[in-house]
Amino acid sequence: MYGAADDLKLEIVKAQNLLPDIKANLVSLCNRAYKEDVEALFKAYAASTHVIAYLNSTIVSHALWVTRWLSCDNGPLLRTAFVELVATEPQFEGRGFATLVMQRLATEITDFDLGGLWPNYPEWYARLGWVKWRGPLFIRKAEDLMPTPDDQIMIKSLPKSPPLNLDGSLSAEWREGELW
């Protein structure tokens, strides 16, 4: 963990309240971290909430969540905080900034039924309390269920989470862009 974590400022901002220069900085940070252009995802996540980490006045890490509706074993829809675009400036990786961002995010989503994400680094998320969904995954589109066997999803139980069968099916609504 970074020794000067006290110098890190975490800010929670709704997407509609992001100043244009901050949004541009976040897109640039994510582009560098993911080594691809993610600007279209920022547009797709227009109703998101961002956790932004500043070291002094420099944005060093970021994550956001959007509301998704997941269903376990075709049960009731669960209001899920689905985490996207977890990123740290490459020169600041390994200092614990993303861990602090994700810990703060976890405290902000406790009013949801569930937390969810598609992990780039499952072992890292597991250390933060996220659990791999072991059962089959599907995307719901109208009345159809589209299997997504190549995807991997992790969930985080929250105070409102019902008991879950991690070996059962899990589905999410279809969305433009990345399905999961």
Side-chain angles (χ1 to χ4, degrees), residues 4-21:
D6 292 338
D7 296 336
L8 198 70
K9 177 185 167 205
L10 296 173
E11 186 173 78
I12 309 299
V13 183
K14 299 248 182 229
Q16 67 266 24
N17 297 329
L18 281 175
L19 297 173
D21 61 324

Side-chain angles (χ1 to χ4, degrees), residues 18 21-31 38 42 50-52 59 61-62:
L18 281 175
D21 61 324
I22 299 297
K23 182 178 178 183
N25 284 337
L26 293 174
V27 170
S28 294
L29 177 155
C30 291
N31 286 346
V38 300
F42 271 82
H50 299 256
V51 181
I52 307 168
I59 297 174
S61 196
H62 166 268

Side-chain angles (χ1 to χ4, degrees), residues 34 36 41 45 63-66 68 70 80-87 102 105 115-126 130-133 137-139 147-156 170 172 175 177-180:
Y34 285 90
E36 64 180 274
L41 293 176
Y45 305 146
L64 66 82
W65 74 86
V66 294
R68 306 253 350 239
L70 274 56
T80 303
F82 206 83
V83 179
E84 303 282 0
L85 295 172
V86 178
M102 288 299 292
L105 185 146
L117 57 79
W118 188 98
N120 282 337
Y121 303 100
E123 308 80 25
W124 183 77
Y125 289 103
W130 295 79
V131 179
K132 181 182 177 193
W133 192 268
L137 301 170
F138 299 90
I139 294 296
T148 60
D150 296 330
D151 284 308
Q152 180 178 178
I153 297 301
M154 295 182 84
I155 58 112
K156 185 169 188 67
L170 183 68
R175 66 178 178 176
E178 295 184 343
L179 297 179
W180 279 100

Side-chain angles (χ1 to χ4, degrees), residues 2 4 7-9 53-60 92 95 97:
Y2 179 70
D7 296 336
L8 198 70
K9 177 185 167 205
Y54 293 88
L55 183 60
N56 300 315
S57 61
T58 302
I59 297 174
V60 294
F92 291 104
R95 298 185 189 186
F97 296 151

